Amino acid sequence: MKSTLLKFISASVVSLSLIAAPAIAGHHDEAKMDIVETAASNSSFTTLVAAVKAAGLVDTLQGAGPFTVFAPTNEAFAKLPAGTVEELLKPENKDKLVAVLTYHVVAGEVYAKDVVKLTQAKTVQGGTVMIKASDAGVMLNNANVVQTDLKTKNGVIHVIDTVLLP
């Protein structure tokens, strides 16, 4: 099973966690909503939703999927250097924004129980995310996974505390 998962992940994007964290307020019955609807219904993801819209990725992330999304919170975006988000949201920087956002997506559904068996995953952007599972939790590159397995009708969302940069 491990080799099957690794093969799947190498053609996909991965990131999950085992960290016990407080639930993100505002999510409803995600299994009835797609990834974008789920994020839009949660006040912790307003920056992410604005970025997805500016990048023209709404239709993609509302598609059949399934997708695994490592979703940075508003606080994660706020950690970026001043002006970074505003620059990325400009129409002339759409390609850069798409690259950053698709670096947070893995094809297929990868749940927390599977992530701990992985050391890396290929993202939709084409880059590789390093995964480190320990007793302290799961990290993707330099981001902590703070909440896992938010089920949507077209995939799963894992909440991270830092924006991943390709």
Side-chain angles (χ1 to χ4, degrees), residues 11-118:
S12 310
V13 178
V14 179
S15 302
L16 306 192
S17 138
L18 299 176
I19 296 177
I24 297 288
H27 63 80
H28 311 344
D29 186 0
E30 287 85 11
K32 293 181 181 176
M33 296 186 288
D34 63 44
I35 289 169
V36 176
E37 292 167 335
T38 300
S41 73
N42 188 314
S43 62
S44 295
F45 299 122
T46 56
T47 305
L48 177 61
V49 171
V52 167
K53 289 178 180 177
L57 294 173
V58 171
D59 289 344
T60 300
L61 291 175
Q62 288 184 320
F67 304 104
T68 297
V69 174
F70 302 104
T73 61
N74 295 337
E75 291 77 18
F77 280 100
K79 289 183 190 179
L80 292 170
T84 301
V85 173
E86 294 77 10
E87 277 300 308
L88 285 171
L89 293 175
K90 291 181 178 178
E92 62 268 24
N93 294 323
K94 182 178 177 179
D95 290 345
K96 289 179 186 176
L97 180 60
V98 168
V100 169
L101 293 175
T102 56
Y103 191 63
H104 290 79
V105 181
V106 175
E109 287 179 311
V110 183
Y111 288 92
K113 65 183 175 64
D114 302 316
V115 170
V116 295
K117 303 170 191 168
L118 304 172

Side-chain angles (χ1 to χ4, degrees), residues 7 28 33 54-55 57 60 83 86 107 116 119 134 136 154 157 161-162:
K7 287 178 187 172
H28 311 344
M33 296 186 288
L57 294 173
T60 300
E86 294 77 10
V116 295
T119 58
S134 69
N154 65 339
I157 297 172
D161 68 354
T162 302

Side-chain angles (χ1 to χ4, degrees), residues 16 115-116 118-120 130-134 137-141 143:
L16 306 192
V115 170
V116 295
L118 304 172
T119 58
Q120 62 183 22
M130 302 310 296
I131 301 168
K132 182 180 178 193
S134 69
V138 173
M139 291 189 72
L140 304 172
N141 293 352

